[in-house]
Amino acid sequence: MDRALNPPVSHPPGGGAGRWPAFTADTQALRIAVPNKGRLREPALKLLSSAGIEPIYGGDTRALLVPTTRSDVVLVYARADDIPVLVASGAVHLGITGRDLVREAGVDGEVEEVLDLGFGSGRIVVAVPRDYPYEGLSSLEGRRVATKYVNIARRFFEEKGVRVKIMRVSGATEVMPLLGAADAIVDIMSTGTTLRAHGLVPVETVMETSAVLIRGRVPAGLEYTATQVIEVTRSVINARGVKLVLMNVPDEALKAVLSILPSMSGPMVARLESPKPMWEVLVAARESDLPRIIVDARRMGARDIVILGVEKVVP
């Protein structure tokens, strides 16, 4: 039995063979698939936690189907490369996985990419040994290419009009040229460290990838819940790198200070009750802009500057 497509459920407290009532097939709970391991798992769980969705393991941390702090949402832990198929089939409603894995699964037209999650970035590349006489893709004509991205690689080389022998491997792709089992590879590259360690150099970019939130068929009764999850998650992503800046500004300096402040729709300005005419100014700003804002605002007369974190931003 395929564990990804037929995940075991956690048992209720106290053991026994019974199942959590929340996991029966007809339950009206939104199912979100999350990678059960790998580089996307922890960032995915952290993002969901920031959106108010945390798993409740019920004493069994190995469970692959678990309730969450939201009674209308359950998490399904599955292999990242199975998640696109689970979402496309309707077994789960939302899923977090890599854009490359959606493309590899061939379900681009059956699922909707609703959010780029901003982590797990990388490139799918063609890489060859450092001493390979590479003079363009045509120099790989008839050669052996090892990859776990069989569909992506085949489509790429077919579109380029280059015939190669695609070899499916499930792991340690980088070692294949060293072993003499392949002449080149197609694999994901983040920093390039692993490729260099195995004497390989990237020569072509096949596609860019990152973690994405995808959705499939959502029952009408769960559409509102799905929309909530998507929009709150979006607000968490929007808030990355955003800070709330509060400052007190003398009346005579207000115009000058406002002229140097960024803003979504405009700073919020309120008159303060003070012996000297004074204004409280509040603005949302990118963290990268803070050094300039602090220095320039201080020079113009602003004081009592306070910087606060922002959890969520809904434009």
Side-chain angles (χ1 to χ4, degrees):
M1 180 180 292
D2 188 329
R3 285 170 62 85
L5 296 178
N6 299 276
V9 298
S10 57
H11 294 301
R19 295 189 173 191
W20 290 91
F23 302 139
T24 56
D26 60 349
T27 295
Q28 288 299 297
L30 188 77
R31 300 183 191 128
I32 305 176
V34 177
N36 61 354
K37 60 182 178 179
R39 66 195 185 102
L40 300 183
R41 174 182 167 86
E42 291 307 318
L45 290 174
K46 182 177 180 181
L47 175 61
L48 290 174
S49 176
S50 297
I53 301 171
E54 296 189 50
I56 302 173
Y57 292 107
D60 185 1
T61 58
R62 298 170 301 172
L64 300 185
L65 184 59
V66 298
T68 72
T69 46
R70 283 192 57 152
S71 61
D72 54 354
V73 175
V74 297
L75 298 185
V76 178
Y77 292 130
R79 287 166 50 92
D81 47 3
D82 287 335
I83 289 176
V85 176
L86 289 172
V87 175
S89 70
V92 298
H93 309 115
L94 302 177
I96 294 176
T97 187
R99 182 178 290 115
D100 53 320
L101 300 178
V102 176
R103 181 81 58 84
E104 177 63 17
V107 296
D108 309 53
E110 301 173 58
V111 303
E112 177 189 358
E113 179 184 315
V114 291
L115 291 174
D116 187 313
L117 303 180
F119 59 83
S121 299
R123 292 186 293 149
I124 307 300
V125 300
V126 179
V128 300
R130 193 174 291 113
D131 58 358
Y132 188 89
Y134 185 79
E135 297 179 355
L137 278 176
S138 59
S139 63
L140 291 175
E141 181 78 27
R143 299 291 187 170
R144 301 163 300 169
V145 178
T147 184
K148 71 174 183 178
Y149 296 105
V150 172
N151 295 326
I152 290 176
R154 181 178 293 118
R155 189 179 305 122
F156 175 76
F157 283 105
E158 286 177 354
E159 290 175 353
K160 299 297 183 180
V162 177
R163 292 176 296 177
V164 298
K165 181 180 179 182
I166 303 294
M167 301 171 53
R168 182 189 297 273
V169 294
S170 58
T173 307
E174 300 89 350
V175 78
M176 293 300 158
L178 281 175
L179 296 176
D183 302 294
I185 68 170
V186 171
D187 204 10
I188 190 167
M189 181 185 81
S190 296
T191 63
T193 301
T194 303
L195 292 182
R196 288 192 296 271
H198 290 84
L200 300 172
V201 292
V203 292
E204 301 284 345
T205 295
V206 178
M207 66 173 289
E208 305 282 343
T209 186
S210 63
V212 292
L213 178 67
I214 58 175
R215 66 171 285 167
R217 299 187 300 274
V218 178
L222 293 174
E223 183 62 43
Y224 185 58
T225 302
T227 300
Q228 287 181 347
V229 170
I230 291 169
E231 292 308 315
V232 173
T233 302
R234 191 194 310 275
S235 74
V236 173
I237 295 170
N238 289 341
R240 288 174 181 162
V242 176
K243 299 295 181 181
L244 200 61
V245 183
L246 299 88
M247 62 183 75
N248 293 333
V249 181
D251 187 69
E252 65 274 13
L254 181 62
K255 185 176 181 179
V257 169
L258 293 181
S259 71
I260 58 97
L261 295 180
S263 166
M264 293 176 183
S265 300
M268 186 177 80
V269 181
R271 183 180 292 277
L272 294 176
E273 292 294 331
S274 60
K276 180 180 178 181
M278 188 78 68
W279 299 85
E280 180 183 44
V281 176
L282 182 152
V283 64
R286 291 288 168 189
E287 191 164 14
S288 57
D289 290 333
L290 291 184
R292 177 187 61 80
I293 291 172
I294 292 171
V295 171
D296 290 352
R298 286 275 292 171
R299 284 176 176 170
M300 292 173 179
R303 64 192 192 201
D304 308 324
I305 300 174
V306 176
I307 313 296
L308 301 175
V310 176
E311 290 187 0
K312 299 174 180 66
V313 172
V314 181

